[in-house]
Structures are given as structure tokens and as C-alpha cells.
Amino acid sequence: MKPLQVGLLGMGTVGCGTWTVLKRNEEEITRRAGRPIRITWIATRTLERAHQATRGAKGIHLTTDPEEVIGRPDVDIVVELIGGIEPAKSYVLRAIANGKHVVTANKALLARHGNEIFAAAQKTGVMVAFEAAVAGGIPIIKALREGLTANRIEWIAGIINGTSNFILSEMRATGAPFATVLAEAQARGYAEADPTFDVEGIDAAHKLTIMSAIAFGVPMQLDKVYTEGITRLTREDLRYAEELGYRIKLLGITRRASVAGSANSEGIELRVHPTLVPAKRLIANVEGAMNAVLVKGDAVGATLYYGPGAGAEPTASAVIADLVDVTRMHTADPEHRVPHLAFQPDQLSNIPFLPMGEVRTSYYLRMRVLDRPGVLADITRILADREISIDAMIQKEPPEGEDRTDIILLTHQSIERQIVDAIAKIESLPTVNGKVVRIRMEELN
Ligand code: HSE
């Protein structure tokens, strides 16, 4: 049968991985797809690298001009591996307008402009597939969109940035400082071109936006994500968390929650932040650059997806899975294909996102205080006045010759705006030194 012809835009790490895996497993992939899938065009800024990767291959054309690939009538699928917003967005929209199916690993592009891109694809009847955009090699898009389709999804919590997880794992295991471990993650090639995307939670926010849209059937709304990274975490807090039986992970969390004070109205939580997770949970033991996504469905219960979230061949695995899906479905009537966001496009819901102040969760609070009678009573009164209940507490011995010590409090579930208010009040006490460290906690059970 005539091969489906693929044009690759970008021949970096993932592009080379896609070429290699497609060649190596050609025979099995063809048996699965029903017809051969051939990369026939590659647009890249680094022709030398592409020449080396594809050397000796017949029927392959290299160019530095992506427009040449997008405009060719014999290219059926365009694979966008350029990353970033522009020019990737223009290429994707033009490929769609030219009637090409698109496979992309571009999480930033989809989180920001997915609604526009899917609407364009809907109009021209083409598919836009994006398994590689979230959690690299883990087939989480497939799981959410198809495998769990019977469920009302209640929540998702994921370690979806390998760089941050690598940094937190190394800091905990070796006690190395943040900057040293970040440099190591960059050297290993996990980090984004701009590593602030990793350590400030932006990359995780992109991926969470995509998962939330699919889980709840809502449009992509990146601007609604509360985002806090790992740059302010200290080794002390990692150690105290450990003493209390927790690990700190950068989690992306999205949840259907009832709005405080209104039994009938629902909102969606959408947040990325460092989180204390009980050390006994499987997800707390995901170490290094690995990713894991925990999904709670009403019928199935909790399911956990684990694997490499980055890297040449793991990401290529997801790109090629999409190529096979597109190959199998490209002659199908567009109405009979799996909808981009799992729900039929006219069935997306406008359920609102919950502002962070309305989110209900538990907290780890660390404060440095004068070691004298009445200090703890003042703090607990401030908490009690706001109906914040304490679950556990440790007070450290003051270091030799010092009169100040650390108190760590774990709270029961409280509303975020009450905690913010209590922290401001505690910080204003003359017996409390500096800022209160606040890290959210999730039981995930
Ligand atoms: N920079 C990303 C990470 C790569 O560290 O997870 C995969 O999206």
C-alpha cells in the first residue's frame, strides 16, 4: 500500500529520535498502521545534523525552509518539533489550512493557542495529535481521552516536569544546592531552552492546562493556572518534610471542587506548586527525571501512569504513536474520529476555574520564633480565629547559644485565603522572625 508521507519540521533531539525509531521498527509499525509511514521531507536549520542522521536513506529531501514542506501536495502529515510559539504557530495553522494532519510535541503552543488550532483543524477536517506534548513517552493523552472515557474524572495530580523532579530528588538525596543540580539537569538535556520554564513551573502549567481540558471537557485556559516553582525551596524544608513522613514534589493538580459556601456550584482547580505528599504514596517515590500522573476517575478509582517524560526515543515513541493513529484514521469521516479534547467540540463546558484563594488544601508552615512562653499560644490563636485546625507540630531545639527556634505546623484542610490572612498576621507578631514558609500538602488518597 502507498506509504503515508511525513514532513518533519525540526531535526533536534526528538526529530532525530523519531527518525531512528521509525526506521528501526519500520516493519512492526507498518503492520500496526496498515501501511508504511515514511519521512520524506525534513526542514531544519542544521542541515549537517540531518544529513548525518539520515545518511544513505533514499527518497528523503532536506531543506532549511519549513514552508517548502508545508506547501507540498505529497506531504500528508506535518510533524512540528520546532517548539515555542512563533514561527511554530504559523506553520501549524498553514499546514492545517493546506489540509495536512499535524502531529506536535509543542505543549506551550497548545496551552496558549490550542483552542484556535483545534477550531481550524475542525473546519478543514484534519487531525491534530499531541501525545508527545505531555509527559513525553507516557501515553497519558490516550489514557485520558480514550482509556478512561467511561469515567467522570475527579482529579489529576502529576509530576510532569522531569527537570524539577530531578532537582528535588538530587537535593534530597545528596544535599547539593539548587544551582549545582540545575546545571547537572541542563547538561543531561532534560531542561527547556529557557530553564526558568522548568523551575518556575511554567512547563508544568502548559502540560496541566492540556490535561485539564481533556479531563473536564473545557477549553484550554493557561491564564487560569496558579503557578509557583521550586526556586524558593530550601534543603531545610526538604529535610523537615522527610522527618514528618512526607516528600516535596512539584505537582500539577487539577480537580473538580465544590465552591465554598455553595453546595451546588462547581469549579475547577488548576495549580502547579511544590507539594508535600506522604512518603508512602507511590508518586512520592518517583525520582530523577521520571514523570508520573495520578488520575482519579469515579468508576476506576485511582490509576497511575509512570515513565520517562523527556528524551529522544521516549518522546519519539509518543510522536510515532500519533503518526500511527493518524494513519489508521485519516480516511475516516471526521465525525468518527476521537475529538481533540475528548469531548465533542460543541459539548465543551464553561464550568469556571476556581481562584487560588478559594482552593481548599492542607499546609506545612515553618516559622522562626523567639523561644519564650506565649509565642505558640499567639500563633495558634491566629489560626483558630480563622478556623484553621492544626494536624501536627514540631518544635526544634534552639541551636546552642540562640534564643530562636523553628516551629513547623501541619494544618488540616483550610481555605487558601484564610491561610494567607493568617500568615500575614503571624508575620506581624514581634516574636516571629522573617517570613513564614508555606508549602501546600495533598494526601492523594
Ligand atoms: N523540560 C521538560 C522536562 C522536557 O523537564 O520535563 C519535557 O517536556
Side-chain angles (χ1 to χ4, degrees), residues 6 121 147 158 167 189 191 196 201 220 282 289 321 386 388 404 406 409 422 428:
V6 177
I167 293 173
T196 57
M220 307 263 185
L282 276 177
R386 286 156 187 82
I388 300 164
R404 286 175 197 278
D406 275 347
L409 296 168
S428 72

Side-chain angles (χ1 to χ4, degrees), residues 295-329:
V295 183
K296 173 82 187 329
D298 69 336
V300 70
T303 55
L304 179 66
Y305 307 83
Y306 168 85
E313 294 206 6
T315 313
S317 164
V319 168
I320 296 168
D322 278 346
L323 286 173
V324 171
D325 265 358
V326 171
T327 304
R328 285 171 176 157
M329 296 304 291

Side-chain angles (χ1 to χ4, degrees), residues 107 133 160-164 190-192 198 203 207 291 309-310:
K107 54 237 160 160
I160 44 180
N161 182 263
T163 303
S164 302
Y190 308 142
E192 295 298 299
D198 296 299
D203 177 71
K207 295 166 181 167
N291 281 197

Side-chain angles (χ1 to χ4, degrees), residues 4-7 9 40-41 66-80 91-103 117 120-122 124-129 326 330 337 340:
L4 221 73
Q5 306 208 31
V6 177
L9 309 184
T40 51
W41 279 84
E67 298 286 357
E68 201 179 346
V69 177
I70 296 166
R72 292 201 61 87
D74 54 352
V75 166
D76 304 297
I77 310 173
V78 169
V79 178
E80 184 272 308
Y91 294 147
V92 163
L93 287 174
R94 272 209 287 285
I96 291 170
N98 289 347
K100 318 280 181 218
H101 303 290
V102 172
V103 171
I117 289 168
Q122 190 71 20
T124 46
V126 298
M127 289 172 268
V128 175
V326 171
H330 94 290
R337 294 179 186 147
H340 292 116

Side-chain angles (χ1 to χ4, degrees), residues 367-389:
M367 55 209 82
R368 179 144 292 188
V369 301
L370 266 183
D371 191 19
R372 79 154 79 121
V375 172
L376 193 56
D378 289 343
I379 293 168
T380 52
R381 193 165 312 113
I382 290 172
L383 296 173
D385 286 349
R386 286 156 187 82
E387 291 181 24
I388 300 164
S389 161

Side-chain angles (χ1 to χ4, degrees), residues 144 153-158 160 207-216 218 225 251-257 267-273 293-296 353-354 442 444:
L144 285 172
I153 292 179
E154 294 172 4
W155 53 262
I156 299 175
I160 44 180
K207 295 166 181 167
L208 186 68
T209 301
I210 297 171
M211 288 198 292
S212 181
I214 294 174
F216 303 121
V218 293
V225 188
L251 291 188
I253 299 171
T254 183
R255 185 196 313 264
R256 241 185 247 273
I268 294 174
E269 296 176 10
L270 200 53
R271 47 192 171 106
V272 172
H273 51 69
V293 183
L294 192 49
V295 183
K296 173 82 187 329
F353 286 90
L354 270 191
E442 292 287 338
L444 302 181

